[in-house]
Amino acid sequence: MANTSSAKKMVRKIVRRTAINRDQRTRMRSSIRTVEEAIASGNKEAAQEALKNAQPLIAKAGRKGLVHKRAASRKVSRLAKRVADVS
């Protein structure tokens, strides 16, 4: 248990930051899932629109350190390739 006032403050900050990170990660994963569902349905327009919405969320997660920046770039790249291949 935290004893010093600075340790108690750090605990409060960690709790807030964890909640923010969890929310951002959930939004990112949901947007990826939306793109994948549109790809699976074969609807290219919906997939392109979903990718357009997902791309900034994934990039922001990479910038903030939620996922590694190269992992974020790789996710966007792979999704874009799959959307382009939808007939």
Side-chain angles (χ1 to χ4, degrees):
M1 189 65 205
N3 285 327
T4 64
S5 59
S6 62
K8 290 176 183 177
K9 181 176 180 179
M10 284 306 298
V11 169
R12 293 193 304 269
K13 287 168 65 175
I14 289 167
V15 168
R16 281 195 301 268
R17 178 49 53 192
T18 301
I20 292 167
N21 286 344
R22 186 181 303 124
D23 183 52
Q24 284 187 329
R25 189 179 305 113
T26 300
R27 272 191 271 146
M28 180 190 73
R29 289 178 178 166
S30 297
S31 67
I32 291 171
R33 195 174 310 114
T34 305
V35 175
E36 290 173 343
E37 288 170 356
I39 290 169
S41 72
N43 189 345
K44 189 164 188 160
E45 291 78 27
Q48 287 173 333
E49 186 64 29
L51 178 64
K52 196 173 92 174
N53 294 333
Q55 214 164 351
L57 294 174
I58 298 169
K60 184 176 182 182
R63 281 195 313 273
K64 297 289 186 178
L66 208 55
V67 293
H68 195 278
K69 65 180 180 180
R70 285 193 290 266
S73 178
R74 189 172 59 241
K75 285 178 192 296
V76 171
S77 176
R78 289 180 180 174
L79 282 174
K81 184 177 184 325
R82 287 176 59 197
V83 168
D85 291 345
V86 174
S87 57

